[in-house]
Amino acid sequence: MDTIFALASAQGKAGVAVIRLSGPLAHSAAANLTGGALPPRGMRVRTLHAGDGSRLDDGLVLTFRAPASFTGEDVAELQIHGSTAAVNVVMQCLSEADGLRLAEPGEFTRRALENGKMDLTQVEGLADLIDAETEAQRKQAQTILAGELGTLAERWRRDLIRAASLLEAVIDFADEEVPTDVTSEVRDLVTGVMQDLQREAEGVQIAERIRTGFEVAIVGLPNAGKSTLLNALAGRKAAITSEYAGTTRDVIEVRMDLAGLPVTLLDTAGLRETEDYVENLGIELAKKRAEDADLRVFLTEDPSELGVSMLSEDIQVLPKSDLREDTESGISGKTGQGIDHLINHISRVLGDRSTSHGIATRERHRVALNNANTSLASALAVLESGPDLYDIAAEEMRTAIRALEALVGRIGVEDLLDEIFSSFCLGK
């Protein structure tokens, strides 16, 4: 196994930079830089020197002995001053050392997976935590990183192994005195797992939205004030505004944090009949994005005139309240009238939806859960046919178990790993 190293902290000037090493030569490489032996586990303040004895920097050196480390290997961390020059010279010295090489993206975490320190769902949780921008994303990522989905999967796996073992015992010892009517216990075990799988699979869509962001589309006629409203919500000039109809022809996106939830606001083209070919393209795109959005804000007096269906949770507000006598149910991007109320309304709707999410967060999770459920449904159907078909029911349960093992990365995920780890930085 190679010994790898990389800068684990962000690029650029900082108070402290962290350089991480992992592998069989991690401790000896760090000791060579510091000019003295290091404890198997602990920390020391040392001066780092180049191979010719010249002084590089003062730093804190931390050592971790396998398997009690992040990667499960011997690990060393060099915490040095965070200047670009200091980092570069230490990295150069490490690159010239025999047996060391620069880590690939996500390679430290990949080794943690391969050495059993994390399962695949935890790896995905770590990636989500690194990318988290809102409080809801942070909490969701921490849940996955803590291994809660893996714990659930292991519990389901144990129940299914128990159920399959009961059936196989009847098959293997048919001529001996063993209980032959295990149908009731097996049914209870399988049904309980199926209910859990169904609940988790149904919550994936909302959980994935928390991870990637909800989309809220602002729709209305031309000159209804959609772009002005978007700019007011964003607190900056994100979209061009003018008195001329058809100014907005593409979808303008602004990402925001609303009550801890990631939300992308969409400013769409004004919806109207027009002979302008380019504007028509923008209108068709606006309708498509509005229909696909998680929530729509109808900036109009009559939603039916827009050609986009208004759903039960969608929001209707009257445009340009600054030009109206009755401003109670209106909104104005110019004066700010109704902005706070709209933000609270959007946050409440999306917040209520978010309460229904489960632990599973990705389409990959949903597919694995549904595959397991499909196999278990087949097992239950066969189970009712009696002991003669117990072997088929047991095999369907084994198929479900394999789907759960794929969920946590025990089997059949090699083709996914390169894609997953390519999103990691070099030092993670």
Side-chain angles (χ1 to χ4, degrees):
M1 177 69 71
D2 294 338
T3 297
I4 56 175
F5 68 93
L7 177 66
S9 50
Q11 295 279 352
K13 185 170 64 175
V16 175
V18 178
I19 298 172
R20 175 182 287 171
L21 301 91
S22 181
L25 301 180
H27 289 185
S28 60
N32 289 339
L33 280 176
T34 61
L38 294 168
R41 181 178 183 86
M43 54 185 173
R44 296 287 188 274
V45 176
R46 294 288 175 84
T47 300
L48 280 61
H49 294 89
D52 61 5
S54 61
R55 182 189 180 106
L56 300 176
D57 196 9
D58 293 326
L60 183 65
V61 182
L62 290 81
T63 48
F64 306 86
R65 172 179 278 177
S69 70
F70 174 71
T71 62
E73 304 171 340
D74 284 348
V75 169
E77 288 189 358
L78 310 175
Q79 298 187 9
I80 62 174
H81 293 100
S83 76
T84 301
V87 170
N88 287 344
V89 72
V90 174
M91 293 285 285
Q92 180 63 35
C93 288
L94 291 173
S95 68
E96 294 171 354
D98 292 337
L100 271 64
R101 65 169 175 83
L102 187 65
E104 297 175 358
E107 190 169 2
F108 288 94
T109 307
R110 186 164 187 158
R111 292 191 176 196
L113 173 67
E114 293 169 347
N115 292 326
K117 305 297 290 187
M118 309 174 76
D119 65 37
L120 188 57
T121 62
Q122 289 177 291
V123 169
E124 292 167 327
L126 179 57
D128 292 343
L129 182 60
I130 292 171
D131 291 336
E133 297 176 345
T134 71
E135 181 63 7
Q137 289 175 322
R138 183 193 67 79
K139 288 181 177 179
Q140 180 173 271
Q142 287 283 11
T143 298
I144 299 296
L145 181 57
E148 293 192 22
L149 183 55
T151 300
L152 271 179
E154 183 57 30
R155 192 190 79 198
W156 298 329
R157 181 175 175 274
R158 284 198 308 269
D159 286 349
L160 295 181
I161 289 175
R162 165 68 178 168
S165 298
L166 287 171
L167 298 182
E168 290 166 350
V170 173
I171 297 168
D172 293 342
F173 303 101
D175 297 330
E176 302 181 24
E177 292 185 3
V178 296
T180 57
D181 188 11
V182 297
T183 304
S184 178
E185 182 178 355
V186 170
R187 185 191 299 113
D188 289 345
L189 288 168
V190 172
T191 301
V193 172
M194 288 182 68
Q195 290 173 347
D196 287 350
L197 294 175
Q198 181 69 24
R199 183 175 58 253
E200 286 299 324
E202 289 174 350
V204 167
Q205 183 177 6
I206 294 299
E208 192 166 27
R209 277 309 197 197
I210 294 174
R211 186 171 64 84
T212 61
F214 292 93
E215 287 193 348
V216 177
I218 304 172
V219 295
L221 294 172
N223 280 343
K226 299 183 298 299
S227 297
T228 303
L229 175 59
L230 178 78
N231 291 342
L233 291 169
R236 60 185 176 85
K237 190 169 183 178
I240 297 174
T241 61
S242 80
E243 71 274 16
Y244 300 105
T247 298
T248 301
R249 299 193 173 195
D250 203 353
V251 176
I252 309 299
E253 301 185 7
V254 174
R255 193 169 177 87
M256 298 180 63
D257 180 339
L258 293 184
L261 294 171
V263 176
T264 299
L265 296 173
L266 309 178
D267 175 25
T268 60
L271 304 181
R272 65 170 180 171
E273 296 293 332
T274 178
E275 296 182 0
D276 186 307
Y277 175 74
V278 177
E279 186 180 353
N280 259 326
L281 292 178
I283 290 171
E284 290 304 312
L285 177 60
K287 288 182 178 179
K288 179 65 168 59
R289 291 297 298 273
E291 289 169 356
D292 292 342
D294 300 287
L295 184 67
R296 285 151 293 276
V297 176
F298 285 79
L299 202 58
T300 180
E301 296 183 9
D302 181 11
S304 64
E305 65 185 349
L306 300 180
V308 177
S309 299
M310 184 172 178
L311 304 180
S312 60
E313 289 187 321
D314 288 340
I315 302 169
Q316 179 188 359
V317 288
L318 300 179
K320 298 184 177 181
S321 66
D322 53 299
L323 302 179
R324 299 172 178 271
E325 290 185 7
D326 177 18
T327 62
E328 246 182 70
S329 56
I331 195 167
S332 171
K334 283 188 176 180
T335 65
Q337 165 71 32
I339 296 289
D340 288 345
H341 177 74
L342 177 61
I343 290 175
N344 290 336
H345 195 160
I346 294 172
S347 301
R348 184 171 65 255
V349 171
L350 298 182
D352 289 344
R353 290 187 193 178
S354 299
T355 60
S356 63
H357 78 87
I359 297 176
T361 60
R362 295 172 181 253
E363 177 64 13
R364 183 186 74 82
H365 302 166
R366 188 190 68 79
V367 170
L369 294 170
N370 284 341
N371 286 345
N373 230 351
T374 299
S375 296
L376 293 180
S378 299
L380 279 184
V382 173
L383 185 68
E384 301 305 322
S385 299
D388 289 344
L389 296 181
Y390 275 2
D391 57 337
I392 297 176
E395 183 54 35
E396 291 289 357
M397 292 178 198
R398 298 290 180 192
T399 301
I401 291 170
R402 287 193 289 272
L404 295 177
E405 289 175 338
L407 174 66
V408 296
R410 288 185 180 178
I411 61 170
V413 293
E414 283 300 319
D415 55 334
L416 293 173
L417 296 184
D418 288 340
E419 179 182 349
I420 290 172
F421 289 114
S422 66
S423 66
F424 279 71
C425 56
L426 287 177
K428 201 61 186 172

